[in-house]
């Protein structure tokens, strides 16, 4: 997987080559709308101490970007499946937490079962992420005021996008030639 830095204003079908960001295919490409969000990951070290405060700070520091990316039919299906499974994993987390609290709260002899329930609830999205998302779909590494840094699963797509963006930068840097008429 390679990192690609794309200017926010170039996340469109007019500024990106027609190569699937997941599979690297160049046939049957359609540009699909995508939304990315990013917050500093160092915030996660404080979750055990003050989860609500971390959530509020993460909401304040979250940066967003949206645009369109090129996908093959297979790549787009993989993107949608990853978003669905990862979203459902959070619903599973809530269900397991509520079930564990309901089943074992107030019973002092079953405190260890409650802890196991909490551990399982935390592991659900971690397992979903590593099984369905990590390395299989574009991942946002950073968003700032002007650029989005993505990690793409397809080396071919990353190379094509980098070449395309570098060619665009070179053409913008070239001074206009003077045309002389005879």
């Amino acid at each position: 997987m390679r990192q690609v830095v794309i200017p926010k204003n170039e996340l469109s079908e007019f500024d990106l080559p027609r190569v699937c960001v997941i599979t690297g295919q160049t046939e049957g490409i359609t540009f699909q709308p995508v939304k990315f969000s990013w917050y500093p990951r160092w915030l996660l070290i404080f979750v055990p101490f003050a989860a609500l405060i971390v959530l509020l700070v993460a909401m304040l520091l979250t940066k967003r970007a949206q645009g369109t990316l090129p996908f093959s039919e297979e790549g787009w299906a993989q993107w949608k499946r990853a978003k669905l499974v990862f979203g459902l994993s959070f619903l599973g987390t809530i269900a397991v937490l509520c079930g564990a609290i309901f089943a074992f709260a107030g019973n002092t002899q079953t405190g260890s079962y409650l802890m196991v329930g909490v551990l399982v609830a935390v592991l659900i999205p971690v397992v979903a992420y590593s099984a369905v998302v990590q390395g299989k779909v574009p991942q946002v590494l950073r968003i700032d005021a002007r650029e989005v840094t993505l990690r793409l699963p397809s080396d071919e797509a990353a190379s094509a996008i980098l070449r395309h963006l570098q060619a665009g930068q070179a053409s913008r840097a070239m001074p206009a030639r003077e045309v002389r008429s005879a």
Side-chain angles (χ1 to χ4, degrees):
M1 291 184 59
R2 291 185 48 195
Q3 291 184 19
V4 177
V5 178
I6 304 173
K8 278 185 177 179
N9 62 346
E10 294 188 24
L11 278 173
S12 71
E13 65 183 290
F14 304 109
D15 296 310
L16 294 174
R18 300 183 75 76
V19 57
C20 178
V21 293
I22 294 177
T23 64
Q25 296 175 2
T26 56
E27 299 296 321
I29 300 300
T30 58
F31 281 78
Q32 301 292 342
V34 293
K35 293 180 182 178
F36 296 109
S37 60
W38 175 87
Y39 60 89
R41 299 301 185 234
W42 55 263
L43 280 173
L44 297 178
I45 62 173
F46 298 109
V47 167
F49 308 110
L52 184 59
I53 293 171
V54 169
L55 180 65
L56 293 174
V57 172
M59 287 172 50
L60 291 173
L61 295 178
T62 296
K63 301 202 188 305
R64 301 184 192 291
Q66 63 182 8
T68 58
L69 287 178
F71 289 95
S72 63
E73 191 174 315
E74 173 188 342
W76 181 241
Q78 190 169 334
W79 171 268
K80 291 190 304 187
R81 184 173 43 254
K83 288 181 68 88
L84 177 67
V85 169
F86 197 58
L88 288 175
S89 73
F90 282 104
L91 291 177
T93 294
I94 293 168
V96 169
L97 278 176
C98 291
I101 290 169
F102 179 74
F104 302 116
N107 191 344
T108 57
Q109 283 85 19
T110 59
S112 60
Y113 293 127
L114 181 61
M115 290 305 294
V116 169
V118 169
L119 180 64
V120 168
V122 169
L123 286 176
I124 290 172
V126 172
V127 170
Y129 178 81
S130 63
V132 187
V133 177
Q134 187 176 22
K136 296 176 177 75
V137 295
Q139 296 173 291
V140 65
L141 299 177
R142 184 162 180 75
I143 297 175
D144 62 28
R146 299 177 63 197
E147 298 174 331
V148 178
T149 304
L150 298 176
R151 182 178 295 144
L152 299 181
S154 168
D155 288 335
E156 296 85 9
S159 295
I161 290 171
L162 287 172
R163 283 191 309 272
H164 183 78
L165 292 174
Q166 288 169 349
Q169 290 171 350
S171 67
R172 282 189 288 256
M174 300 284 289
R177 291 186 191 169
E178 200 174 294
V179 178
R180 295 182 185 179
S181 56

